[in-house]
Amino acid sequence: MEKLRDSKFRTILTARAGELEALKELAQKDPWKPVCHIHPECGLLNDPNGLAYFNGEYHVFYQWYPFGVIHGMKHWAHVKSGDLVHWKRMPVAIIPTEDYESHGAYSGSALEKDGELLLFYTGNIRYADEARSANLCMARMDKNYGITKAVANPLIEGVPAGYTGHVRDPKIWQDEDGKYCIFLGAQRKNRTGTLLVYESQDALQWKLRGELKTPMINFGYMWECPDYFRLDGRDILLFCPQGLAPAGHDYQNLYNVIYAVGKLDLANLTFETECVRELDKGFDFYAPQTFQDPAGRRLLLGWAGMSETEYPSDKNQWAHCLTLPRQLRLQDGVLRQMPARECQVLRTDCFSLRGCLTGNSVSIANDGNLYELDIDFTDIQSRDIMIELFKSEEERLLLRFDQVNGVVSLDRRSFLNNFTAPVGPVRTALFMPAERLAVKIVVDQSIAEVFINDGTVVFTARVFPQVRSTGIEIRADGNLVFDLAKYKLKRGI
Ligand code: FRU
């Protein structure tokens, strides 16, 4: 079959003199560029890939198209950090130069083996007639960060019978008895999503075991970016089903992320599912991936972005960022996500305030959109509690707790850069109203991450405010006590 030819499928090796420098210069001047969230110097970032703690450092790779804010030829970009908050940009890790990855090095994950970090990724292939295929590929990173593609690539060529060309995003892990396993996101020929399970003794030769059986039968048309891990005595399956219809407070985005809590039985290829929930209730969150650090923590980073959406920063030649690293815990069947404790290293200039609201509001002095805000509300006798961020006369991001109905909402409709009209400007979630409410919000220029009650409800939201929109206000229609700390944040990348 003839392969698709399109100028967006060119690698960074074809950059003309000064081409990338010009893009970076434009992007760098953009006041919406994050300061502590991993983001591209120019071009488009999407999924986090290959997350790992290796050789005494944290490694994050991400999907990157260097030459513009479109989904073109995807590379694996690479940043590393000794402390999980200060990130150093490394040379591009995977440049898709080979036939078996002719239309991009798509997403995948990492595993340490014999002193090397193995990077499993998807060789994306596109044909002229809209058809596509995918190959499972691998590259090795040594302790000097030298990266070599496996001679045996592709490790799996093409897609198995019964599936469309949409088979990708390997999640690799090692089973207790030493064998290697991969979950691959896949689309059946009948246009429903599923996961394929592969096994290997040496991580090179892979055998298809079959589909993972779950109760999620007609659950979207494609499952992307699977992840699997054990946490607090349970198995967690995490993936991105595309094509779910909105249902109440769930699945309000174009594409959504869910996790299932239960028990994996590899021998029988089943995932006995106790519950299925949405991971993040915000507007801009997709393709998260997790890894375990040496202390045994399960850490997650997600793509703070959404496909098929034009963002206001596009005009400045860069798009999207990752979330902060979040630590996961499982309690009562709910995944709690909170920023990894290392994020506190970025704090500076603490401002604190304790007081009462009696049906009134209080403004918090603030002059920039780079801060962490921690608020504890107690003795709550209010039906409505509101926190407004990015506030100016015409703009605000409104976080509102409806204590009567137990619904929390995030509303970004007032921004002059109102960029996601088709899927609506408000997101909602259920929460448990009580006399106490704890809210942590991290704001970094054009991203806000909201963590409610120890991360039981989380919203990730991009906003593109006017420079003057920096106000913070809290308001309640009844009585409550608040205890607030605001920190400015230092540069992490
Ligand atoms: C998810 C995704 C993956 C794919 C990658 C390509 O956002 O579509 O399924 O591997 O992005 O960049």
Side-chain angles (χ1 to χ4, degrees), residues 44-49 62-65 71-76 103-108 121-122 124 132 166-170 185 222-226 240 242 255 286-287 303 305-307:
L44 180 142
L45 160 157
N46 56 303
D47 316 354
N49 292 154
Y62 59 81
Q63 289 283 287
W64 185 46
Y65 178 62
H71 289 269
M73 186 71 127
K74 294 294 168 70
H75 298 56
W76 275 38
H103 294 71
Y106 270 19
S107 286
Y121 64 99
T122 312
N124 180 45
R132 64 166 77 209
H166 291 279
V167 175
R168 56 178 173 264
D169 309 336
M222 165 67 187
W223 292 4
E224 294 189 310
C225 301
C240 304
Q242 293 181 294
Y255 302 129
Y286 199 64
W303 170 28
M306 191 53 58
S307 294

Side-chain angles (χ1 to χ4, degrees), residues 8 10 19-20 23-24 26-28 30 32-33 39-46 63-74 303 306-321 462 464:
K8 72 178 182 181
R10 68 179 174 115
E19 187 179 6
L20 285 172
L23 294 171
K24 285 180 194 171
L26 184 60
Q28 202 191 352
D30 186 338
W32 289 320
K33 269 213 139 179
H39 62 274
E41 282 183 289
C42 63
L44 180 142
L45 160 157
N46 56 303
Q63 289 283 287
W64 185 46
Y65 178 62
F67 297 118
V69 288
I70 54 167
H71 289 269
M73 186 71 127
K74 294 294 168 70
W303 170 28
M306 191 53 58
S307 294
E308 292 156 54
T309 307
E310 282 175 23
Y311 283 69
S313 63
D314 288 4
K315 63 175 184 293
N316 296 324
Q317 292 302 333
W318 72 279
H320 311 308
C321 61
R462 300 295 310 279
F464 296 86

Side-chain angles (χ1 to χ4, degrees), residues 266-302:
L266 259 189
N268 293 306
L269 290 184
T270 54
F271 192 87
E272 207 178 284
T273 304
E274 290 163 25
C275 59
V276 177
R277 294 183 213 278
E278 199 173 20
L279 188 60
D280 185 302
K281 309 302 287 186
F283 307 86
D284 310 274
F285 184 82
Y286 199 64
Q289 193 176 109
T290 74
F291 70 109
Q292 198 172 34
D293 81 347
R297 291 183 301 175
R298 180 57 54 176
L299 299 171
L300 172 146
L301 285 102

